[in-house]
Each structure stands twice: as structure tokens, then as C-alpha cells.
Amino acid sequence: MTQNPNQHRYPPAQPPGPQQNQQRPDRGSRQHPGNGPHQSPPGGPQAPPGGPPGRGRGRPARIASAEGERVRESSAGGVSGYFAIVGGVILLILALLLAVFGLIMTVAQAALGVILIVLGAVMFIAAMFLFKGCTSVAPGNAVVLQLYGKYVGTVRQSGLRFVNPFYSKIQVSTRIRNHETSTLKVNDLDGNPIEIGAVVVWQVQDTAQALFEVDDFEEFVAIQAETAVRHIANSYAYDSSDPNRMSLRDNADEITSKLSSEVAARVAAAGVTIIESRITQLAYAAEIARAMLQRQQATAVVAARQLIVEGAVGMVETAIEQIEGRGIVTLGHLERSDLVSNLMIVLCGDQAAQPTISTTRNQESGK
């Protein structure tokens, strides 16, 4: 239902009565003339003069989302700290000289001595403020600045920097780090207990998020990495005979890629980026390792037998075709069956074949 902006900027003097409530849902009253006072002029509703359309008093106030209230890193480069060091040293020398001259003049009972002593104390305090505002930033580190609990910015430029002396400073390492999970005992997709471990390479990207969004970002990364490893292990089988089904052992590259994506999604709230993750240990649990080894051996034997049978069938077919094609002997149905049986036994048997000579047919042919 189209609303007229005039109703928001210029509300009626009387509250809507029952008749108005009945006419409001009627959409035809806005399209056909003669349906009452609520019909709109041709061309749609007209905006009131003096302001753009849609900005009425009835629009609710915008509610800020939690995402917009989160702290994000901002730059606070500061200035070179060497000038502050030089200025602080000069002020210290001047404060010492003024204090000495002030003491001498005070002993001589001169009023100027007290003024010099006070001026020297002020210079000394100013020098201390200059020294306090200097902070050193090593390569691969950042300094997070706060003013009475409020985040001010982050200094990433290495070297000696000068910032507001009232700022509190927190050092945060932005170097690349490794986290190796402990050996976790979980169940795979088939329910088999396995032992799995992984290493996660990560780096702090947003220092403000790392300090203020989570309690301890290092512990947060460690817990979330183990959680992601457990979830990945539960989502895939350790081994699979189906080529269309991914497994932890056969599809290591795809699994590690999914592991990196999942860990990155879990630690994004802490301002951490995941560089790489790898599965370092993968094995069946001790209680089923022997049974699974026998299963793998049986699977390998079956696969090998299948290949042997396929090859033997092809060899028998080729042998029969060549014997009949060259006219060496004419084979009937019974001779063909015997030849196929003998060749399959010879080709598929584990032990060497023992040659035998059949005399039954020779005796029958002699009679």
C-alpha cells in the first residue's frame, strides 16, 4: 500500500476513526476517483514543500549494530622521538643550571633565587614528560596507545617515536607465529577413533581487535584451532574406497585447505589472519589400529585380485582367438571350457601350476 509522505509531516488533527480504518486497506480508493478523501492525485503522492520526500517524522531512529561499535585498528604514527630526547636533555641541563644558580642566590638572600629554583623544577618536569612520551618500536612489533582506557591508535613504524606522554602503551607482536595442536583423539565420519594433530601458522593483522575483542588472543587462537581440527576430523573419514568421497588420508591438500578456511573464519573476530595450516599427525587409535591394518591389507588383496582376474580374462580371450585364428586346432564347446578353466587356474593361482596329462580322451578316441 502506497503511503503519502504528507501523513507523516502533517498528521491529522483528529485520530483515525473506524471509517478511516476501513478505507485504508482499500487499494482501489487510490486508483479510481470517487472513493473518498484518501485518493491520491494523478502521478502519485506529492512531496510537501520545504524538504525532500521520505524524511518524515514517523521514520524510526537508526539503531547502530554491534559490528559498527567494534574497535578497529587506526594509525597513530606520532613524530620522531630523537627530537624529544634532544629537547629533554637540553631541558635537564637548563634545569640543573637554574637550580645551581637559584641555590647560590638563595644563600645570598636574593628573591630571584627562589624563582630560578621553581623555573628549574618546571623544566625538569617538562624533560620527564618528553622522556615519558618516547617509545621504541622494534621491527615486527606494534604499540597500541590508550588514553585513560580509550583506544587512540597503533604505532607500527619502527624506531624511536614520540607520542602523548599521557598515553599508555601496550606492545603487541605482529610476527608470524606457529601453533601446534596437541594430539587429539576424535572420531571420524565413520565413527572410527583416530589421532590427529595439526600446525597453524598465523599472524596478528588488527592489533585493536586482538587486544579488545577477545580476552587473550593467543589462547583464543589455540582453542579455536583445536576446535576446527576436531570438526574437520568429524566431517571426513580416515580412509575411503569410494573415489568420489574425500578422506583424510587420500585428500590431504583439499582437507588442509578447508582446515585453513575454517580456522580463519573462527579467529577473524580476534583480528588474526591464517597463513597456512597443515595436518602433522594422522593415525588410527591404538585400540583399533591392528584391526584397521588387517582391513587395509584385505582391501589391498581384493583390489590386487580384481586386477589379476581382469588381466587373466583378457589373456584367455586373446589365447583362444589366436588358436582358432591360426587354425592350430578346432575347439569344441567342451575343449573351450577346459582350456578356459586351466588357463584361469594357472594365471590366478598363488602357487606354480603342476602339469598333468589326461589319457581318458586318448583311450576313448582309440576305441
Side-chain angles (χ1 to χ4, degrees), residues 16-365:
Q19 297 180 356
Q20 294 177 351
N21 293 334
Q22 295 176 0
Q23 295 176 358
R24 183 169 299 176
D26 189 5
R27 298 179 179 268
S29 60
R30 297 184 178 273
Q31 300 176 359
H32 304 283
N35 287 335
H38 292 279
Q39 61 182 3
S40 300
Q46 301 293 330
R55 293 188 178 181
R57 297 179 182 177
R59 170 171 292 188
R62 181 179 179 274
I63 300 177
S65 62
E67 182 71 22
E69 296 176 357
R70 291 181 179 177
V71 181
R72 295 294 182 269
E73 180 179 325
S74 59
S75 177
V79 297
S80 177
Y82 296 101
F83 297 103
I85 293 294
V86 173
V89 171
I90 294 174
L91 288 178
L92 279 179
I93 296 175
L94 292 177
L96 180 61
L97 294 176
L98 290 176
V100 171
F101 284 110
L103 288 175
I104 295 175
M105 297 185 69
T106 302
V107 173
Q109 297 182 355
L112 183 60
V114 178
I115 298 176
L116 293 178
I117 293 175
V118 173
L119 186 58
V122 172
M123 288 186 177
F124 178 81
I125 294 173
M128 292 298 103
F129 271 99
L130 288 178
F131 290 145
K132 189 177 183 299
C134 293
T135 179
S136 60
V137 183
N141 286 324
V143 178
V144 178
L145 305 177
Q146 288 181 272
L147 181 61
Y148 303 113
K150 181 181 179 181
Y151 172 69
V152 177
T154 301
V155 180
R156 284 183 175 266
Q157 185 176 356
S158 60
L160 185 64
R161 311 298 296 174
F162 177 77
V163 295
N164 191 334
F166 293 99
Y167 289 166
S168 60
K169 311 171 188 67
I170 304 176
Q171 290 275 352
V172 178
S173 176
T174 57
R175 298 184 179 97
I176 298 176
R177 312 186 194 186
N178 286 328
H179 172 72
E180 186 176 2
T181 64
S182 57
T183 302
L184 306 176
K185 187 176 181 180
V186 296
N187 294 334
D188 65 352
L189 184 62
D190 295 335
N192 300 320
I194 62 174
E195 294 179 353
I196 186 172
V199 60
V200 177
V201 183
W202 61 280
Q203 184 181 23
V204 174
Q205 185 178 15
D206 193 308
T207 56
Q209 281 186 275
L211 287 180
F212 305 118
E213 292 292 331
V214 295
D215 188 18
D216 187 349
F217 65 92
E218 293 183 359
E219 183 181 1
F220 182 80
V221 171
I223 295 176
Q224 295 301 322
E226 292 187 1
T227 304
V229 171
R230 289 181 180 273
H231 182 261
I232 289 294
N234 293 331
S235 302
Y236 298 94
Y238 177 88
D239 193 6
S240 177
S241 58
D242 187 1
N244 297 325
R245 182 185 179 189
M246 295 180 61
S247 63
L248 297 173
R249 191 185 68 171
D250 299 332
N251 304 96
D253 295 336
E254 294 83 353
I255 297 300
T256 52
S257 177
K258 292 181 179 295
L259 178 61
S260 299
S261 301
E262 183 164 351
V263 176
R266 290 178 179 271
V267 301
V272 173
T273 178
I274 301 299
I275 300 175
E276 185 186 10
S277 63
R278 287 288 177 183
I279 296 177
T280 57
Q281 182 178 357
L282 182 64
Y284 281 111
E287 56 268 23
I288 66 165
R290 185 174 181 180
M292 288 302 168
L293 180 60
Q294 295 177 354
R295 176 186 174 185
Q296 292 177 358
Q297 292 175 350
T299 304
V301 169
V302 170
R305 289 292 182 184
Q306 184 177 0
L307 292 176
I308 291 174
V309 169
E310 292 178 358
V313 170
M315 294 173 65
V316 170
E317 183 180 2
T318 304
I320 294 176
E321 289 179 355
Q322 291 183 1
I323 290 174
E324 294 181 347
R326 295 180 182 180
I328 298 175
V329 65
T330 301
L331 298 176
H333 179 72
L334 183 60
E335 289 81 2
R336 186 189 294 266
S337 299
D338 292 340
L339 179 60
V340 170
S341 177
N342 294 332
L343 287 177
M344 291 297 294
I345 292 174
V346 171
L347 295 174
C348 298
D350 293 333
Q351 299 178 356
Q354 299 295 331
T356 59
I357 300 175
S358 177
T359 60
T360 304
R361 293 181 182 176
N362 295 332
Q363 293 175 0
E364 292 178 355
S365 60

